[in-house]
Amino acid sequence: MEQKNKLKLNSGGLLVFILTVGVFGIINTEMGVIGILPLIAETFHVTVPQAGWTVSIFALVVAISAPVMPLLFSGMNRKKVMLLALGVFTLSNIISMVTSNFTVLLIARALPAFLHPVYVSMAFTVAATSVSKEKAPKAVAKVFIGVSAGMVLGVPVTSYIASEVSYSMGMLFFTVVNALVFIATIFLVPSMPVKEKLSYGTQLNVLKRKVVWYSILAVTLINGALFGFFSYMSDYLKNVTGVSYGVISTMLLIYGLANIIGNVIAGKQLATNPVRSMITIPFALLAFYICLFVLGEWLAAMAVIILILGILAGYGQNTMQYMITESAPEAPDFANGLYLLSANLGTTIGAAFCGMFITLFDTRYSVFGSLLFLVVSIVFVVLRIRMIQSRKQAEIEESIICN
């Protein structure tokens, strides 16, 4: 009875809160070093591009391991797996904090990255299964707030601590967050054994479905559009809008905070009308990227556009995760791994594709890469929606015949 009560207690807000802070710590570890690359270069006596490998190697490992690691750990007790991931992140951050060898730093960055998709995918799965099916999108949306907060707060907070105190204290921030969640998981999260362990073959079988591939392609393209522009947002604001670095920092903060607003809105909308959410995202992004291209020189217009794009980015992340996991509900951990793979792949391709337009023309035309990605994504979103609707109609007709 006591265990049941504990599970009931943690199946609501407390469990989701712990998962949200946990995801914040994981994303913070990944993204936080972006703001201290010059300090890393100075501390380890390397160039800034070499210091950039602390970001690149983490992202590369995540992209490679995203579809594999959640699959391998899908049959294990989720609490134990989460503790493993948080423990490795904490230890790796301690090593990053005390080492003076750049190679050791890169290894300490690469190792926890293998468990990044395991923790994040399980956090989504546990959040969704801890509440009723109707409330699942809202629970997942709350975990996504941890993703947004990790990206929004991780960079400036780490940069501030490291610049005001030292590089080691900046890394200590990562360590403390992960260690606190590790302790909270030990004492406040109940044991979560997997009741029905799915074979690897059963989970991999979802890849035979066209709807899964439509979802993967749609997510890759939409995320490519989002991060294709976001990668060059600072450059766009500087060279097209013509604002100072101080204004750019403010605009980036607005964009990031708007992500959190988008997370909250998406949770409510996906719970009521997911089809509308799926079709709205690419069309809305398309419209506002066109506005961005046309009105890019007007600061007031850009402030409003970036605020709305930030909301759409948060809204879109939730919708994209739902798009993939809803197409393979019987293999949630593997589906979340596929989402992380698609999102990271989209980020990589999108940044390269939009960068090509900057090389061929200038910064203003980077938006064209995002526009092309969105136009193609609409095709796969429509195909996905039609396939699901056709399947539901067939099930209804079959039910009528049987009765």
Side-chain angles (χ1 to χ4, degrees):
M1 180 63 71
E2 186 180 343
Q3 181 65 23
K4 278 188 174 181
N5 291 334
K6 188 178 180 184
L7 182 57
K8 187 176 180 181
L9 172 68
N10 288 290
S11 65
L14 181 58
L15 175 58
V16 173
F17 175 75
I18 292 170
L19 295 172
T20 302
V21 179
V23 169
F24 167 74
I26 300 294
I27 301 297
N28 185 36
T29 299
E30 177 184 9
M31 305 296 293
V33 295
I34 290 175
I36 59 170
L37 290 182
L39 189 57
I40 290 175
E42 181 183 330
T43 302
F44 290 90
H45 308 292
V46 296
T47 64
V48 172
Q50 287 175 321
W53 273 102
T54 57
V55 179
S56 301
I57 197 166
F58 198 107
L60 182 62
V61 171
V62 171
I64 293 170
S65 61
V68 179
M69 297 299 282
L71 183 69
L72 293 177
F73 284 91
S74 61
M76 293 181 62
N77 186 303
R78 284 168 176 159
K79 178 177 179 176
K80 292 180 180 178
V81 175
M82 288 180 175
L83 287 172
L84 172 65
L86 292 166
V88 170
F89 265 80
T90 301
L91 289 173
S92 295
N93 285 329
I94 291 172
I95 293 170
S96 299
M97 183 174 66
V98 301
T99 187
S100 58
N101 186 294
F102 187 66
T103 302
V104 173
L105 175 65
L106 291 180
I107 295 171
R109 294 283 297 167
L111 289 178
F114 282 102
L115 292 170
H116 171 292
V118 177
Y119 187 91
V120 175
S121 65
M122 282 194 176
F124 290 145
T125 302
V126 172
T129 55
S130 68
V131 295
S132 65
K133 188 176 181 181
E134 294 74 22
K135 294 181 180 179
K138 290 184 180 180
V140 173
K142 289 178 181 176
V143 176
F144 260 111
I145 290 175
V147 176
S148 297
M151 297 178 71
V152 176
L153 300 176
V155 175
V157 171
T158 306
S159 178
Y160 176 78
I161 294 172
S163 60
E164 291 296 317
V165 188
S166 67
Y167 156 79
S168 294
M169 289 301 101
M171 300 306 290
L172 179 63
F173 174 54
F174 302 160
T175 307
V176 170
V177 173
N178 286 302
L180 288 175
V181 180
F182 180 85
I183 294 167
T185 302
I186 291 175
F187 294 106
L188 300 176
V189 174
S191 177
M192 294 181 286
V194 177
K195 295 177 182 177
E196 295 181 12
K197 183 177 179 181
L198 293 174
S199 67
Y200 297 147
T202 300
Q203 295 182 77
L204 289 170
N205 273 339
V206 303
L207 293 175
K208 294 179 180 179
R209 298 178 193 165
K210 286 184 180 180
V211 69
V212 171
W213 285 104
Y214 289 154
S215 301
I216 289 172
L217 290 168
V219 169
T220 301
L221 290 163
I222 294 172
N223 211 60
L226 280 170
F227 279 89
F229 170 70
F230 181 70
S231 299
Y232 305 104
M233 186 187 290
S234 298
D235 193 42
Y236 196 95
L237 289 168
K238 180 177 181 294
N239 293 309
V240 179
T241 312
V243 296
S244 66
Y245 285 111
V247 175
I248 290 171
S249 297
T250 302
M251 299 281 260
L252 289 171
L253 182 61
I254 289 171
Y255 182 91
L257 293 173
N259 264 244
I260 297 175
I261 297 172
N263 294 149
V264 176
I265 297 172
K268 295 177 180 178
Q269 291 298 313
L270 287 169
T272 56
N273 197 330
V275 172
R276 183 172 61 192
S277 297
M278 281 185 258
I279 201 67
T280 296
I281 278 300
F283 279 107
L285 286 171
L286 191 67
F288 280 98
Y289 277 135
I290 291 172
C291 292
L292 185 80
F293 180 78
V294 175
L295 304 173
E297 296 174 358
W298 296 3
L299 177 57
M302 283 295 290
V304 174
I305 290 168
I306 285 177
L307 171 66
I308 295 171
L309 284 175
I311 293 172
L312 289 173
Y315 192 106
Q317 292 296 337
N318 283 261
T319 304
M320 288 185 284
Q321 187 268 349
Y322 178 91
M323 200 181 297
I324 290 183
T325 54
E326 198 268 342
S327 65
E330 73 276 31
D333 293 325
F334 182 53
N336 279 313
L338 291 175
Y339 161 70
L340 293 171
L341 170 65
S342 304
N344 280 278
L345 186 62
T347 299
T348 304
I349 297 173
F353 192 61
C354 290
M356 182 182 71
F357 280 88
I358 296 176
T359 303
L360 293 175
F361 304 103
D362 60 46
T363 303
R364 184 173 200 142
Y365 290 87
S366 62
V367 179
F368 276 32
S370 294
L371 292 174
L372 289 172
F373 268 42
L374 289 168
V375 169
V376 181
S377 76
I378 290 169
V379 175
F380 293 108
V381 171
V382 171
L383 286 171
R384 185 209 181 282
I385 291 172
R386 284 184 176 178
M387 180 164 283
I388 291 293
Q389 289 177 337
S390 297
R391 182 192 298 168
K392 288 182 178 177
Q393 183 62 35
E395 289 174 355
I396 291 170
E397 291 175 358
E398 185 179 342
S399 176
I400 292 171
I401 293 170
C402 290
N403 292 332

